[in-house]
């Protein structure tokens, strides 16, 4: 394996294929199922990029496959020991790492998350960083909701957000986000 190589592996979650992307250093992306990506207008061509290697053993070694399978079966899991290789600005990384502090089955508001990183007035910037999260589920952006307790923006669409939260037992939330996320 060469350090510049990218690896991919498909897993099934919510009865749909999700694609994991990694380097030798760690997991770098979890890409929504193609049907969701198409509805969201996301360009997910990375899965067909030349030079990407299918290598399940790398993902098994990182422990991510078992954890995601357990998660999609509705079991609480922690992704804390999984090595990550995500880019992003220092601010984005601080937001993404703060996402991992939200407990399974709980939700925080954008304001709470902003406060948790010491940037209580940067609610919109936090929302923008969340929208660029390369590892949904692993860095649980689906657990962030609006101040009024409703489901708001989610790149995978509000129905996907609702379905993911339902895996964690959160079933009382209403979708009220921007219409561009209502699919």
């Amino acid at each position: 394996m060469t350090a510049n190589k990218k690896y991919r592996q498909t897993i099934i979650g919510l009865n749909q294929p999700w694609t994991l992307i990694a380097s030798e250093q760690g997991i770098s992306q979890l890409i929504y199922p193609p049907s969701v990506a198409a509805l969201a207008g996301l360009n997910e061509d990375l899965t067909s990029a030349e030079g990407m290697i299918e290598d399940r053993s790398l993902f098994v070694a990182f422990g991510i496959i078992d954890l995601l399978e357990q998660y999609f079966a509705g079991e609480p899991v922690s992704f804390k020991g999984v090595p990550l290789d995500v880019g992003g600005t220092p601010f984005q990384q601080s937001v993404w790492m703060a996402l991992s502090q939200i407990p399974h089955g709980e939700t925080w508001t954008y304001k709470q998350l902003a406060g948790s990183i010491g940037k209580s007035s940067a609610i919109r910037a936090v929302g923008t960083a969340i929208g660029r999260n390369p590892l949904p589920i692993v860095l649980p952006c689906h657990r962030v909701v609006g101040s009024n307790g409703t489901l708001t923006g989610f790149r995978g669409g509000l129905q996907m957000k609702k379905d993911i939260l339902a895996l964690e037992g959160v079933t009382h939330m209403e979708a009220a986000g921007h219409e561009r996320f209502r699919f």
Side-chain angles (χ1 to χ4, degrees):
M1 291 190 273
T2 306
N4 294 337
K5 296 280 185 177
K6 290 286 184 178
Y7 301 85
R8 71 174 176 207
Q9 181 64 48
T10 301
I11 61 155
I12 302 298
L14 298 171
N15 298 313
Q16 299 183 69
W18 294 66
T19 302
L20 282 160
I21 307 291
S23 70
E24 290 180 5
Q25 287 71 44
I27 306 301
S28 55
Q29 287 184 283
L30 178 58
I31 299 173
Y32 293 103
S35 61
V36 173
L39 287 171
L42 300 173
N43 181 2
E44 303 292 10
D45 291 338
L46 287 172
T47 57
S48 62
E50 279 196 39
M52 223 177 269
I53 301 165
E54 287 275 339
D55 185 357
R56 184 176 177 89
S57 65
L58 179 70
F59 296 92
V60 169
F62 289 153
I64 190 70
I65 295 201
D66 284 343
L67 289 172
L68 283 170
E69 287 174 350
Q70 290 169 21
Y71 180 85
F72 284 124
E75 299 173 31
V77 299
S78 170
F79 295 101
K80 287 185 180 166
V82 175
L84 304 180
D85 184 16
V86 293
T89 67
F91 178 78
Q92 287 173 324
Q93 289 184 7
S94 71
V95 170
W96 299 337
M97 294 308 116
L99 291 169
S100 65
Q101 303 305 308
I102 306 171
H104 181 94
E106 292 184 25
T107 58
W108 287 6
T109 65
Y110 290 90
K111 184 176 183 175
Q112 285 175 292
L113 191 67
S116 78
I117 62 167
K119 303 281 187 186
S120 57
S121 65
I123 297 167
R124 286 184 184 217
V126 164
T128 299
I130 291 170
R132 297 189 185 276
N133 176 13
L135 289 166
I137 310 292
V138 177
L139 301 173
C141 51
H142 60 278
R143 295 179 187 154
V144 182
V145 299
S147 295
N148 61 1
T150 60
L151 301 181
T152 56
F154 188 67
R155 261 189 339 187
L158 295 179
Q159 185 59 52
M160 175 68 73
K161 186 172 189 168
K162 194 172 187 174
D163 293 345
I164 294 169
L165 283 169
L167 286 173
E168 299 184 19
V170 179
T171 58
H172 63 281
M173 315 232 35
E174 293 296 321
H178 192 278
E179 75 178 45
R180 75 173 187 236
F181 298 112
R182 292 190 188 162
F183 51 88

